[in-house]
């Protein structure tokens, strides 16, 4: 069973640019969550999508957005990049039957973004 | 608000020693999940265990064991007879029943096992 796949694994951008990260969940998983990991702030929840709808959102500015497609694949976008956006962005998928509750989260290896 | 505290930033032990990673959590909710994840250098978070707030039974899985005590809001993790492959960053985490995918992580404990 293939795991959670995130692309690209590494990328370098400059301030002001935008970036799109992709996440393919485990087959059959309908819930995808995104987390940001930085040395200073640690692991922080960005948002979760289930059945193409955002279900939960963390405390991040509107520059951070996401979406989910009908095949459960998800993308997150960061616009007007700032130096502080440099981080490891982790995607996690879970098997979720209904809107409430969720199962175990399976994480991908992350996309490491460097903003210069 | 929910919070997870891992007071031990780094721990270094010699192989075969036992080591305990501490975790203290805060929440006013009565229904929640507690987790432990392992993060090796590759970056992927590896799930180790999930407990719900109604189940205070301690759990053992091979060399790993977990001690959940609601009275002290602690969920400690012990590795028995540590091995070099156990070297990683370990995260304790909490999520509420109502939004279980929104996990609040502790700051992590970097564990180094010396041969």
């Amino acid at each position: 069973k293939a795991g959670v796949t995130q692309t690209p694994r590494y990328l370098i951008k400059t301030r002001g640019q935008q970036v799109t990260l992709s996440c393919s969940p485990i087959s059959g998983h309908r819930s995808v969550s995104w987390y940001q990991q930085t040395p200073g702030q640690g692991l922080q929840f960005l948002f979760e999508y289930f059945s193409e709808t955002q279900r939960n959102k963390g405390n991040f500015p509107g520059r951070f957005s996401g979406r989910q497609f009908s095949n459960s694949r998800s993308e997150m976008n960061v616009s007007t990049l700032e130096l502080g956006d440099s981080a490891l962005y982790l995607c996690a998928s879970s098997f979720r039957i209904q809107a409430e509750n969720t199962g175990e989260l399976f994480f991908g290896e992350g996309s490491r973004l460097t903003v210069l | 608000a929910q919070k997870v505290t891992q007071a031990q930033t780094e721990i270094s032990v010699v192989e075969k020693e036992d080591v305990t990673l501490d975790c203290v959590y805060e929440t006013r909710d009565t229904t929640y999940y507690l987790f432990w994840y392992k993060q090796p250098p590759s970056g992927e978070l590896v799930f180790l265990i999930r407990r719900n707030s109604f189940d205070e039974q301690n759990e053992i899985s091979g060399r790993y064991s977990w001690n959940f005590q609601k009275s002290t809001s602690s969920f400690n993790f012990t590795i028995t007879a540590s091995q070099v492959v156990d070297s990683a960053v370990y995260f304790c985490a909490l999520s509420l029943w109502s939004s279980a995918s929104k996990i609040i992580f502790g700051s992590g404990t970097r564990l180094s096992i010396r041969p």
Side-chain angles (χ1 to χ4, degrees), chain B:
Chain B
Q2 291 72 44
K3 185 178 178 182
V4 177
T5 301
Q6 295 180 256
Q8 303 152 308
T9 305
E10 290 192 42
I11 299 175
S12 180
V13 300
V14 176
E15 198 172 19
K16 297 182 184 176
E17 285 187 15
D18 298 347
V19 59
T20 296
L21 308 183
D22 297 332
C23 173
V24 175
Y25 64 93
E26 297 175 30
T27 180
R28 291 186 179 182
D29 280 54
T30 57
T31 52
Y32 51 88
Y33 293 109
L34 294 168
F35 306 82
W36 276 95
Y37 281 88
K38 172 182 179 179
Q39 188 175 41
S42 62
E44 178 182 0
L45 281 166
V46 178
F47 170 85
L48 295 177
I49 189 172
R50 181 180 76 172
R51 305 297 278 176
N52 69 55
S53 52
F54 299 113
D55 185 1
E56 280 193 79
Q57 274 193 328
N58 291 331
E59 182 157 337
I60 297 174
S61 176
R63 296 184 296 107
Y64 296 170
S65 62
W66 291 270
N67 183 358
F68 176 23
Q69 293 193 341
K70 287 178 76 171
S71 60
T72 56
S73 297
S74 65
F75 187 43
N76 296 336
F77 172 33
T78 297
I79 302 175
T80 302
S82 61
Q83 299 176 1
V84 173
V85 294
D86 295 327
S87 297
V89 180
Y90 290 85
F91 291 94
C92 179
L94 164 77
S95 70
L96 302 182
W97 189 272
S98 57
S99 55
S101 62
K102 184 176 180 179
I103 299 180
I104 296 100
F105 286 89
S107 54
T109 296
R110 182 176 299 277
L111 177 63
S112 298
I113 310 298
R114 308 189 305 274

Side-chain angles (χ1 to χ4, degrees), chain A residues 1-36:
Chain A
K1 193 175 187 180
V4 177
T5 304
Q6 293 188 244
T7 57
R9 291 291 313 281
Y10 302 90
L11 67 166
I12 299 174
K13 294 284 187 178
T14 57
R15 278 181 298 175
Q17 287 187 311
Q18 74 163 18
V19 66
T20 299
L21 308 178
S22 178
C23 173
S24 293
I26 292 173
S27 178
H29 286 191
R30 296 167 62 194
S31 170
V32 173
S33 305
W34 289 90
Y35 288 79
Q36 181 198 63

Side-chain angles (χ1 to χ4, degrees), chain A residues 16-86:
Chain A
Q17 287 187 311
Q18 74 163 18
V19 66
T20 299
L21 308 178
S22 178
C23 173
S24 293
I26 292 173
S27 178
H29 286 191
R30 296 167 62 194
S31 170
V32 173
S33 305
W34 289 90
Y35 288 79
Q36 181 198 63
Q37 186 176 24
T38 60
Q41 300 298 316
L43 277 156
Q44 294 184 287
F45 173 79
L46 280 157
F47 29 64
E48 183 210 1
Y49 286 86
F50 173 69
S51 291
E52 302 177 63
T53 302
Q54 189 179 88
R55 300 291 178 171
N56 281 298
K57 190 177 189 307
N59 298 322
F60 279 82
R63 300 185 297 108
F64 292 81
S65 63
R67 59 177 175 169
Q68 186 180 34
F69 302 94
S70 58
N71 62 358
S72 295
R73 189 177 73 84
S74 176
E75 290 181 346
M76 68 162 282
N77 184 277
V78 187
S79 62
T80 319
L81 284 167
E82 301 177 358
L83 294 178
D85 297 333
S86 294

